[in-house]
Amino acid sequence: MNSIAPKLPAHSAFGPDEPVLTSHTLLPDAVGPLFGQRDEWNLNGVLRRPANLHPAEWKLKFDAFTGIWNIRARELVMVLLNPRHPTVLGAGIITWRRPAQPQTAIQRLGPLRALAAWAEERGLPQDLGAWPEHQLHVRVASLKEDRAVSTVVGHITVIRDLHRYGPLLTGGGLPRDPWLGMSSRAVLGTSAGGSRTLSTPVIPPEVWFPLVRAAWTYIDTFAPDILRAQERWRQIQAEAKQSSVGAEARLRSWLAEGNLVPLHDEHLPPRITDAGQVHWGLLSFLIGIDKRAHIFNKPRGLREIVREAVEQGQCASASLLPKYAQVRHADGTTGGWSRGLAPRSMKREIEILRIACYIFVTALSMMRDSEVQEVVKGSVVEHFGAPAVISTEVKGEEDFPRKHWWIIEPVARALALAEAITPHPERLFTGIAGEARNAERFTANEGIKAFVEHVNARADVNGLEPIPSERVAPHMFRRTMSMLTDQFPGSEIALGIQLKHVASRALANRTTQGYAASAASWAKHLDTAIEAARFRGLRDLFDAHKANEPIGFGPGAEQLTRTFDKIRDTVAAQGGDATVEHALLKKARVSIRFGTLNNCLFDAANPAGAVCLENTVIPPGHTGPLPDRCRPDRCGNSVIGPQHVEIWDSEERSLTRLLESRRLAPGHRAALEQQRSEAQAVLRKAGR
């Protein structure tokens, strides 16, 4: 329980009975903590807790602070949570306009606690004004040696808070900012404008592919069996009788029908001691008697009847279903994906299935962990003609607004499945059913790890590719999918929309660019994808040429036409089909780049004639053309496609209208005339 300080020092800015959450919206009938509570401020039942936080994480803990540091920590949090408090405003402190989120205040306590312990170890005085400034520089320098930049920034922020909020801290704060005029990142020697490189790593392709495939296989292939087993178990339990009357007759009749005695799976974990033994509880239900009747614990000789059947081979692994979806096993044989779903293993598979839904949704929706866990039943809707999921955006929002995330149909299926199996009355992703301590919490990190271990432990039978046991965290899915979306051709706008960072144009936001930054581990896959996209475009041009449709205009188009004709003649001479044509097209290795205003046939092996490289300094390490110096009107590598002609025609007409104005300055008129001349040259190539 919280202890109330009998009386704060006379110079304390806040009273012991003062509520600390006056700037936040409380839950109905909630009673918030008071400033004088010295041990903790419990926010559970007071403020709405994000779905991905455990109740223990929704507390401001002060019990580790001793002496003056205890009241100092509470004062610091009080200012963060109530920046417009009259006392704060009266002290003339410059604060944020909006109150800090409780998560922010909770995070500040960690570095503050570490700073207090460090000061005690160094024998620094309780009076912050007496601290030598160089000691703080030493503190940050030591942190830089083994901590991430973002972590050290948090420590610097707390130190600066002790100066910024000094007038309201008991005993006073730091007299000066140790890094006056410098940003925290500048103190650490990183870009003052913010680095585009995120500390969040991508999931390596050797982990990403088997993990996402396994999740989808559970949703698409295994789920029907799991749900059928669950329904049959419910039916068996509902039809079972409580009375043991006639148990022997029922048992003998059941065995006479050729039914097999269920045995516990021999592949159960070592801690399970009944592996390979008779599954007495399930057997009781199968003959129609509730196991709570304990028919096999009574001296009726029923166990002997069962053991005799087992000795005669009338037994099999316990299973609620007669057969399972067929998969290809690791040894090349074909068979069911499960050895048998008994009540215990079925319950575990439902838990794993729920984790699979979480993994698949998180991986392919680019939602944050907190936002996925905020999804409730009935959240899949249509938004502007496309399927979307409604959830609560938590990060940086004090009112937790509802947002839409566009999703693909498989993600919608995963959400529908999660809704069907959730034990929670509202939320889709919660704790383990039947375990009260976890009923409200789904720990993503632990769930993903459990999924990987479960898949790998059964890789010999489930037909799934083993997943490398590397650390995978929820935010890594968002980072990886952002990178993939950006790097695969034509996806940039979708990336900006999904990340909710659309500014004046897609990818204008620096954070979005950081999410989308390429990763070396994916270079091979991304290069392959880009080449595949280029070949698809080239193949479309070849097919159009075969259909006697125009593929473009200009010297580049003529060069491309000659290549296509040669391939057609070769195929005709060999009597080949379209497959042979496309194989020869790929073998020809035509270098082409598809653009908005033209297509470019620049060949790195023969760059002569590329106008963009004339009379210019090529940047070190650069290969290929320089798109910003492209001259479609002059370059022999340029192909003006039919789709480009309309753009150039519109450009020429727009320039002509501008030149009709009599108010143009001579220099401006000359520039417009030059641009129109270039557009007209392009159109002449197209026969306009």
Side-chain angles (χ1 to χ4, degrees), residues 202 204-206 209 483-484 487-489 518-533:
V202 299
E206 59 270 19
F209 286 119
M483 180 269 297
L484 292 176
Q487 299 296 318
F488 276 90
S518 60
S521 60
W522 281 88
K524 178 181 177 182
H525 294 275
L526 296 175
D527 288 344
T528 302
I530 292 172
E531 289 303 319

Side-chain angles (χ1 to χ4, degrees), residues 8-9 12 35 38 67-76 170:
L8 290 172
S12 176
F35 181 78
R38 298 173 52 87
I68 195 173
W69 282 103
N70 182 279
I71 189 171
R72 189 176 282 157
R74 286 181 284 127
E75 289 168 337
L76 182 65
T170 298

Side-chain angles (χ1 to χ4, degrees), residues 28-29 41 63 145 155 206 210 229 316 420 427 432 474 533 553-554 634 678:
D29 303 323
W41 295 349
D63 51 350
E145 294 179 358
H155 285 265
E206 59 270 19
R427 286 168 42 203
I432 306 304
F553 310 94
R634 291 178 48 207
E678 294 173 1

Side-chain angles (χ1 to χ4, degrees), residues 212-229 321 323-329 334-338 341 349 353 356-357 360 410 413-414 417 451 461-464:
V212 175
R213 285 172 185 157
W216 176 244
T217 302
Y218 255 91
I219 295 166
D220 185 58
T221 305
F222 300 169
D225 288 346
I226 297 172
L227 296 180
R228 280 196 297 271
L321 297 178
K323 60 181 181 179
Y324 297 87
Q326 300 294 290
V327 297
R328 192 171 192 81
H329 294 158
T334 300
W337 67 271
S338 173
L341 293 178
E349 290 293 352
L353 180 58
C357 293
F360 196 75
R413 280 185 59 186
L417 180 59
F451 180 83
V461 67
N462 60 25
L464 297 174

Side-chain angles (χ1 to χ4, degrees), residues 86 88 114 155 180 208 214 216 230 232 240 266 268 377 396 419 433 445 468 563 602 671:
V88 177
H155 285 265
L180 186 63
W208 171 272
W216 176 244
Q230 183 185 48
R232 182 156 189 261
E266 294 182 356
L268 289 172
K377 293 180 177 180
E419 183 171 334
N445 289 342
T563 302
F602 178 90

